[in-house]
Amino acid sequence: MPETATHVGSGKVRELYALDDERLLLVASDRISTFDVVLPTEIPDKGRVLTGLSAFWFARTRHLCPNHLLAVRPDARSLECRRLEMLPIECVVRGYLTGSGWKDYQTTGAVSGHVLPEGLRDSDRLAEPIFTPATKAHTGHDENITRETAAELVGAERFAEVEATSLALYRFASEYAADRGILLADTKFEFGVDDEERLVLADEAFTPDSSRFWPADSYEPGRPQASFDKQFVRDYCESLGWDKTDPGPELPDDVVTGTRARYVEAFERLTERSFDRYLEDPEAVLR
Ligand code: Q0Z
């Protein structure tokens, strides 16, 4: 009998289904967002690239933290996962100062309570990666919170554990990616807790939707960096003078093709596997 999946949630570009009491199905669509708006044009295989990358990183970081991954489905865009009790914070690690971290630093000299040296520029590399937790906003933007506030939300002991684990995961993946020409400027994790109270990495891991991917060869601090995956889309949207409110513009074929190629390039550089091979045998990315 074919199993039934109950829709339980939607992200901007992903869907979540319950398979049973213990298992979820996380499905990555080919939708793309820019300037916080989901565009009407899809990028073919984007969801498969993100699912494959996430699965790859879950497999390769198991020595640092257990994770929720149970299986990659044959469609190459769906992950079967263990259902967990999720922690109510976003766990962000920043190795470079940009985005909301750069914004907070300019206003206050600090990010999530980490007081940083004076004189830093947009996109500067930090001397050490910092853990900058954020709230889970259901509407609008996540807001950076202090480590103290995060510790109140999850408990001091659990906080110490998610901070240390997040930093270890970031150090591992950012070093690996940098060796392959991709800077992971920052990344966002979500953790859950299993029925034995063990901390488990959940959601997605080191995808271009949960991390900033920058091409290492054009990195130049002092300005915003080109995005490894979305830069053609951003440049095209900027060229239109679109006001960045919904609905966004349709993308022309050359922007779609170029963007798909960048996603596939990120997959192939990081996994050192052919993307076509991934589509033929998705679970091979775990080995
Ligand atoms: C993840 C999300 C998405 C909408 C809940 N293993 C898990 N156990 C329990 N809950 C979750 C997970 Cl991953 C969980 N989200 C984020 C993902 C669509 C929301 F694809 N929400």
Side-chain angles (χ1 to χ4, degrees):
M1 195 174 97
E3 59 184 339
T4 54
T6 309
H7 188 248
V8 293
S10 293
K12 265 196 305 203
V13 300
R14 295 182 304 159
E15 303 297 335
L16 191 58
Y17 298 86
L19 295 172
D20 54 40
D21 290 349
E22 272 121 52
R23 295 176 309 142
L24 296 173
L25 194 67
L26 248 168
V27 184
S29 74
D30 292 337
R31 297 193 293 273
I32 187 168
S33 68
T34 191
F35 306 112
D36 279 323
V37 174
V38 177
L39 300 180
T41 311
E42 296 192 331
I43 305 300
D45 293 324
K46 171 179 177 277
R48 292 188 176 93
V49 166
L50 269 60
T51 294
L53 275 174
S54 222
F56 170 80
W57 286 114
F58 282 135
R60 272 151 193 79
T61 59
R62 286 173 58 199
H63 63 296
L64 297 172
C65 182
N67 61 67
H68 73 164
L69 178 60
L70 294 171
V72 188
R73 288 284 172 100
D75 67 6
R77 69 167 72 251
S78 315
L79 297 181
E80 223 176 278
C81 305
R82 277 197 284 159
R83 199 168 194 168
L84 304 165
E85 208 59 60
M86 299 300 285
L87 297 183
I89 57 171
E90 307 274 12
C91 294
V92 178
V93 180
R94 301 169 189 275
Y96 295 77
L97 188 61
T98 194
S100 69
W102 167 239
K103 217 172 187 180
D104 293 355
Y105 169 75
Q106 285 178 287
T107 315
T108 68
V111 189
S112 289
H114 296 274
V115 178
L116 299 173
E118 283 180 43
L120 295 178
R121 301 160 296 167
D122 188 2
S123 310
D124 260 331
R125 185 177 183 176
L126 299 170
E128 297 291 339
I130 54 174
F131 182 66
T132 63
T135 56
K136 283 188 179 178
H138 290 276
T139 54
H141 272 134
D142 296 344
E143 190 182 336
N144 294 329
I145 55 177
T146 63
R147 301 167 66 250
E148 289 70 28
T149 301
E152 283 168 15
L153 287 167
V154 301
E157 203 181 330
R158 191 65 83 183
F159 177 81
E161 189 183 12
V162 295
E163 178 175 54
T165 304
S166 296
L167 287 166
L169 289 165
Y170 176 81
R171 286 182 194 282
F172 175 83
S174 61
E175 190 173 305
Y176 176 97
D179 288 344
R180 288 152 185 84
I182 295 175
L183 303 180
L184 298 181
D186 50 35
T187 195
K188 180 172 82 180
F189 304 114
E190 289 195 37
F191 289 95
V193 173
D194 70 13
D195 46 23
E196 291 172 279
E197 299 293 313
R198 279 182 300 231
L199 184 70
V200 179
L201 181 61
D203 206 52
E204 57 184 333
F206 303 109
T207 69
D209 281 3
S210 67
S211 312
R212 281 191 180 83
F213 283 33
W214 291 343
D217 62 6
S218 60
Y219 171 64
E220 189 186 297
R223 57 162 173 82
Q225 303 306 295
S227 156
F228 193 94
D229 45 301
K230 288 184 179 172
Q231 200 57 43
F232 296 151
V233 173
R234 294 205 185 131
D235 289 349
Y236 174 73
C237 289
E238 295 282 15
S239 80
L240 296 175
W242 164 51
D243 66 3
K244 297 168 190 174
T245 64
D246 200 49
E250 300 264 11
L251 301 175
D253 288 350
D254 63 320
V255 173
V256 171
T257 303
T259 300
R260 181 187 180 280
R262 292 294 276 177
Y263 279 104
V264 171
E265 186 185 347
F267 178 95
E268 294 190 331
R269 276 169 57 170
L270 291 171
T271 67
E272 300 175 336
R273 315 291 176 93
S274 127
F275 182 64
D276 288 340
R277 279 285 298 130
Y278 168 66
L279 298 183
E280 284 165 25
D281 183 9
E283 285 229 296
V285 79
L286 305 177
R287 304 188 283 265

